[in-house]
Amino acid sequence: VWKSAYNCWLQYSDIKDHSRVQEYKKVCSNLVILDQSAIIDSAKEELEKGLFSMLGETPTISYEPQKKASIVLATYDQRTIKEYGVDYEDCNILNDDGYMIQSFDYQGDKAVLLLGKTDKGILYAAFHLLRLIQMSKDINNLTIFENPKNQIRMINHWDNMLGDIERGYSGNSIFYDQNEFTHDVDRIKDYARYLSSVGINSLSINNVNVHQVESKLITKELLPHVAEIADIFRSYGINTYLSVNYASPIEIGDLNTADPLDSEVQAWWSEKVAEIYEYIPDFGGFIVKADSEHRPGPFTYGRNHADGANLLGRALEPFGGIVFWRCFVYDCLQDWRDRKTDRAKAAYDHFKQLDGEFLDNVILQIKNGPMDFQVREPVSPLFGSLKQTNQVLEFQVAQEYTGQQKDLCFLVPQWKEVLDFDTYSEGKGSTVKSIVNGSKYPFQYSGITAVSNIGNDLNWTGNTLAQANFYGYGRLIWDTELSAEEISDEWVRLTFGHDEQVVEEVNQMLLNSWQIYENYTSPLGVGWMINPGHHYGPNIEGYEYSKWGTYHFSDCLGTGVNRTVKNGTGYSGQYYPENAEIYESLETCPDELLLFFHHVSYTHRLKSGETVIQHIYNTHFLGVEQVENMKARWEQLKDKIDTYRYENVLDRFTMQLENAIEWRDRINTYFYRHSGIPDEKKRTIY
Ligand code: GCU
């Protein structure tokens, strides 16, 4: 009963439409495999598994061209050109992870060629073909060229070796338990399948906060176990990375400094890296969180972040490894009297001045917003400001501030807004996606990474509907032109099948869920009204009176953070003029970010025509109604969804409703008491 939850979007349910089945069987009864590698073996295994499950027949396998209908797996080479007449010009446009799927009339029979530039492309093409079949699409007339838009397509795990996951909402780690490795090869392999089915090619497997035990992941004792995990992922075209402790030379070496300019420190890292590559010849490299939230870093030695990152880059360079250096650097201890220090400004202030100072194999990792994965925040002004520095954008698939996989919050629409945001760094059309995909500036490395939302829960993601964020993340960063609607529709059909009512209802739930979550939580971009520490549920002044202060400055006169250049923290000046002017002015600042940029009175009128206070009441009453409505609509689907998944999601909606009610009531009461202005519609405010 639980298999459907475990299998995510790779259900491979049998195809109901019989004429389609006949059509598919004609093409799919033979696999012809013209190259060999571990990755191609994975493609073969997946096709065998998927085709058997959907069509009830296992295909025969041959390693030479067959004069009959078949699925042909090949990389582009002389043999495929000769046998199938593939046009070189066509294939020239494929990049290293790209592929072509082409239908052929082959000696009177049907063939589908899955042609990769490399073996990875073959694997991606195999998943694509399986997806088409599961979606009941025609496969007799295919001409598909796919190149991933982003070169680095990564997931970061925040797993600790004890087994817990920082900001994990789906059980414990699949990699570690009680400071040991789980060696749960089957589960890890299934995870690799999901990752590569949506095109992920890089994975870091431990928390960016590298504590004592995890610091040892790069020692001889633990590297063989890391290598075992890397072997599994390698067969799915995924490179393995580790987060490392910047102070490793002290923590696990016998030096008393980690100064990046110290020659002993440099030698230590070089030897360490050489040792890692003995165990894992294609090791990806390091993720580093330094000088952030009490983690060690180069500041201790009076050095800057380029010194720190380049130290590691230099050690990794001979082996082709890379460093992801995180820009999440800010002073986490705030004083409410100090109106100039602004966390939002920190990443830009630290890193902008270092543009061009980093080695070629160092990549800066920049969170999508200047704060921390809030339901709404502006786009980080570092995008567009760093023109000579490799960079990746960091999203959070884990719903830390967006309902923790209890509440439904499909994040693809949010991510799309970020990717489509125009930075104006080179005038109009300098979108974030064109920067991180490396087309705007000639970066050696670039792409997108994100914090994972999976754990060892049976359904991987706690809330089964949160699987859509994992799927959607991979699909979107492969092709940033896909719409949220397309991605959602694919996911629903692959996950739940094609019943029209299910498809329509679940699509609507997903697509509206971000807006709904925003409606009942922090209003108008102000963020942070969650409980400090664990970050679930409302606590309006929780961070207002915490030493990790992140303020909204609400009082009886008004609310919001003044981040203008004119008389605020000056944050809005970090953008290019086109955006800076929009945010700076009350007249043009978009409603949804108003309180992020401005402190206003409760009677200030939004562009929508409502006052701020009435908007707060309206959205909070509405948000709860919307959750009630979603839950009721889910209940209508009872007979159409298997019990396990049905009950799982129903439980989550029940929790979400409780949460939404609490948010509504606390927010409304808080602002009513502060403003003294009653709700125009006279609804109950406690
Ligand atoms: C957030 C999150 C932390 C995490 C940090 C980071 O602050 O709450 O758990 O360590 O981001 O991204 O490093």
Side-chain angles (χ1 to χ4, degrees):
V1 290
W2 52 269
K3 271 283 173 193
S4 59
Y6 181 88
N7 287 340
C8 297
W9 53 89
L10 300 180
Q11 299 287 324
Y12 300 140
S13 318
D14 52 343
I15 309 292
K16 302 254 163 26
D17 177 343
H18 285 290
S19 62
R20 272 278 193 248
V21 174
Q22 293 318 316
E23 200 182 301
Y24 292 152
K25 277 187 177 168
K26 265 191 214 146
V27 188
C28 300
S29 40
N30 305 290
L31 291 187
V32 173
I33 303 173
L34 297 182
D35 287 283
Q36 272 182 313
S37 79
I39 293 178
I40 296 174
D41 283 346
S42 300
K44 163 179 168 270
E45 208 180 286
E46 196 68 28
L47 284 165
E48 286 179 311
K49 184 185 169 98
L51 293 174
F52 174 73
S53 174
M54 289 187 286
L55 307 177
E57 262 175 32
T58 311
T60 65
I61 309 287
S62 52
Y63 295 92
E64 289 297 328
Q66 298 291 311
K67 294 189 179 11
K68 59 183 174 191
S70 40
I71 301 174
V72 181
L73 280 61
T75 47
Y76 176 78
D77 61 15
Q78 294 308 322
R79 208 149 66 128
T80 43
I81 300 173
K82 199 161 137 246
E83 192 64 38
Y84 296 95
V86 177
D87 188 342
Y88 178 74
E89 289 299 315
D90 281 352
C91 295
N92 228 3
I93 63 164
L94 295 180
N95 66 26
D96 279 355
D97 289 356
Y99 61 85
M100 177 180 95
I101 302 180
Q102 177 77 62
S103 305
F104 274 93
D105 278 322
Y106 178 63
Q107 306 194 350
D109 250 325
K110 288 281 179 200
V112 178
L113 186 59
L114 307 184
L115 186 128
K117 182 74 170 273
T118 66
D119 52 1
K120 272 163 79 177
I122 297 178
L123 177 61
Y124 296 143
F127 277 115
H128 191 145
L129 182 69
L130 288 165
R131 186 165 75 231
L132 291 175
I133 297 176
Q134 189 76 103
M135 301 278 287
S136 244
K137 299 272 174 75
D138 174 21
I139 62 163
N140 281 332
N141 300 292
L142 300 173
T143 301
I144 296 171
F145 286 89
E146 281 280 339
N147 278 324
K149 298 271 191 318
N150 290 289
Q151 169 198 26
I152 294 171
R153 303 177 302 282
M154 189 169 198
I155 291 272
N156 298 145
H157 277 262
W158 286 2
D159 297 23
N160 297 318
M161 285 198 67
L162 197 57
D164 59 317
I165 301 175
E166 182 156 334
R167 314 308 179 186
Y169 311 106
S170 324
N172 277 347
S173 173
I174 61 169
F175 302 118
Y176 322 102
D177 186 29
Q178 304 301 318
N179 291 330
E180 306 274 347
F181 284 77
T182 59
H183 301 285
D184 192 349
V185 173
D186 292 341
R187 181 118 202 198
I188 296 172
K189 183 175 159 181
D190 279 331
Y191 182 43
R193 292 174 50 232
Y194 298 129
L195 289 168
S196 69
S197 74
V198 292
I200 302 293
N201 62 6
S202 311
L203 192 77
S204 66
I205 59 170
N206 65 303
N207 190 356
V208 287
N209 294 313
V210 186
H211 305 296
Q212 213 178 356
V213 191
E214 294 80 10
S215 296
K216 297 191 187 131
L217 281 167
I218 52 172
T219 60
K220 279 199 162 75
E221 290 70 53
L222 298 187
L223 278 167
H225 304 297
V226 178
E228 182 186 63
I229 293 178
D231 286 346
I232 300 172
F233 287 118
R234 181 180 305 110
S235 307
Y236 284 86
I238 300 160
N239 269 54
T240 300
Y241 291 73
L242 290 171
S243 299
V244 293
N245 183 340
Y246 180 78
S248 294
I250 304 171
E251 296 294 328
I252 58 168
D254 51 12
L255 303 187
N256 55 16
T257 175
D259 182 350
L261 302 192
D262 181 296
S263 59
E264 279 188 286
V265 171
Q266 293 168 355
W268 188 90
W269 276 110
S270 292
E271 277 169 40
K272 180 47 73 188
V273 167
E275 186 176 288
I276 297 172
Y277 278 87
E278 280 171 29
Y279 290 89
I280 309 165
D282 60 348
F283 178 65
F286 298 145
I287 324 298
V288 192
K289 171 175 178 177
D291 291 315
S292 165
E293 301 184 332
H294 311 300
R295 303 316 299 157
F299 285 167
T300 308
Y301 311 97
R303 314 296 184 197
N304 68 29
H305 280 246
D307 297 327
N310 290 344
L311 162 75
L312 302 178
R314 220 170 282 120
L316 285 160
E317 197 274 331
F319 304 91
I322 51 187
V323 186
F324 291 89
W325 190 269
R326 296 180 81 231
C327 295
F328 187 61
V329 177
Y330 69 101
D331 182 356
C332 58
L333 302 177
Q334 269 261 261
D335 184 327
W336 57 275
R337 279 158 293 220
D338 169 9
R339 292 288 185 115
K340 280 289 166 194
T341 306
D342 179 2
R343 175 170 170 179
K345 284 162 65 183
Y348 180 100
D349 284 347
H350 285 299
F351 288 96
K352 161 82 176 122
Q353 54 181 332
L354 298 175
D355 191 19
E357 308 271 307
F358 295 89
L359 292 178
D360 282 351
N361 64 336
V362 172
I363 305 172
L364 294 186
Q365 181 164 323
I366 309 166
K367 285 192 183 185
N368 62 268
M371 299 299 270
D372 197 13
F373 306 130
Q374 300 301 294
V375 65
R376 175 81 65 177
E377 49 179 304
V379 169
S380 168
L382 271 178
F383 296 111
S385 301
L386 298 172
K387 302 186 178 192
Q388 303 170 63
T389 304
N390 297 320
Q391 55 199 273
V392 290
L393 164 67
E394 178 180 336
F395 285 130
Q396 194 183 44
V397 187
Q399 292 170 240
E400 176 176 356
Y401 299 91
T402 48
Q404 306 200 344
Q405 284 141 244
K406 294 188 177 102
D407 302 31
L408 180 63
C409 191
F410 181 55
L411 290 164
V412 170
Q414 186 203 49
W415 298 332
K416 279 200 74 75
E417 278 194 18
V418 173
L419 293 169
D420 291 342
F421 179 76
D422 198 341
T423 69
Y424 288 94
S425 65
E426 303 294 325
K428 204 169 161 40
S430 311
T431 54
V432 169
K433 65 187 171 195
S434 73
I435 293 168
V436 299
N437 74 16
S439 64
K440 189 63 64 189
Y441 305 108
F443 302 140
Q444 175 115 3
Y445 296 103
S446 62
I448 302 182
T449 188
V451 184
S452 159
N453 72 342
I454 72 107
N456 69 357
D457 273 2
L458 211 97
N459 66 358
W460 301 88
T461 54
N463 185 341
T464 299
L465 298 185
Q467 292 172 357
N469 280 330
F470 176 9
Y471 180 84
Y473 168 70
R475 294 288 290 132
L476 178 65
I477 67 168
W478 176 281
D479 183 357
T480 43
E481 297 312 306
L482 288 172
S483 68
E485 289 76 12
E486 284 169 296
I487 292 174
S488 155
D489 193 63
E490 271 182 19
W491 179 79
V492 177
R493 289 174 185 277
L494 295 172
T495 304
F496 292 113
H498 302 282
D499 179 280
E500 279 314 315
Q501 190 192 358
V502 174
V503 169
E504 200 189 312
E505 293 289 337
V506 181
N507 265 318
Q508 272 193 33
M509 289 176 200
L510 291 177
L511 292 167
N512 295 328
S513 58
W514 173 41
Q515 183 63 64
I516 293 174
Y517 185 82
E518 185 174 27
N519 281 346
Y520 62 82
T521 57
S522 305
L524 299 166
V526 76
W528 294 105
M529 292 179 170
I530 23 75
N531 277 303
H534 63 72
H535 297 164
Y536 187 76
N539 186 340
I540 293 134
E541 296 200 325
Y543 274 109
E544 197 70 23
Y545 294 106
S546 148
K547 62 182 176 186
W548 293 59
T550 359
Y551 309 111
H552 49 83
F553 300 112
S554 304
D555 57 19
C556 64
L557 300 173
T559 179
V561 190
N562 183 347
R563 290 195 163 99
T564 61
V565 173
K566 190 166 156 237
N567 52 11
T569 70
Y571 168 77
S572 65
Q574 293 186 340
Y575 292 90
Y576 284 92
E578 290 83 346
N579 289 320
E581 281 161 22
I582 289 176
Y583 293 142
E584 178 77 11
S585 143
L586 252 184
E587 275 63 57
T588 50
C589 182
D591 283 351
E592 70 269 15
L593 287 171
L594 184 72
L595 301 183
F596 191 95
F597 285 100
H598 297 274
H599 186 84
V600 298
S601 74
Y602 295 109
T603 51
H604 174 82
R605 262 191 208 279
L606 298 171
K607 291 188 191 52
S608 66
E610 284 171 341
T611 59
V612 166
I613 190 71
Q614 195 56 43
H615 170 91
I616 292 176
Y617 297 148
N618 288 349
T619 50
H620 286 76
F621 284 112
L622 176 65
V624 171
E625 284 164 27
Q626 289 171 313
V627 177
E628 276 164 349
N629 180 268
M630 273 202 296
K631 187 174 175 224
R633 281 159 53 192
W634 181 258
E635 284 165 352
Q636 304 274 303
L637 304 178
K638 187 169 196 296
D639 299 333
K640 302 199 161 183
I641 287 173
D642 53 284
T643 318
Y644 189 90
R645 290 188 295 181
Y646 173 77
E647 295 290 343
N648 165 266
V649 174
L650 185 62
D651 280 354
R652 302 282 155 158
F653 276 136
T654 305
M655 293 188 240
Q656 177 170 8
L657 184 54
E658 243 174 72
N659 190 36
I661 291 171
E662 191 185 348
W663 270 99
R664 175 196 65 194
D665 292 339
R666 283 184 188 271
I667 293 262
N668 284 347
T669 299
Y670 178 89
F671 283 104
Y672 180 32
R673 287 186 59 177
H674 276 67
S675 68
I677 303 171
D679 173 29
E680 282 169 3
K681 298 189 186 160
K682 303 195 170 51
R683 290 161 291 194
T684 306
I685 295 180
Y686 297 101

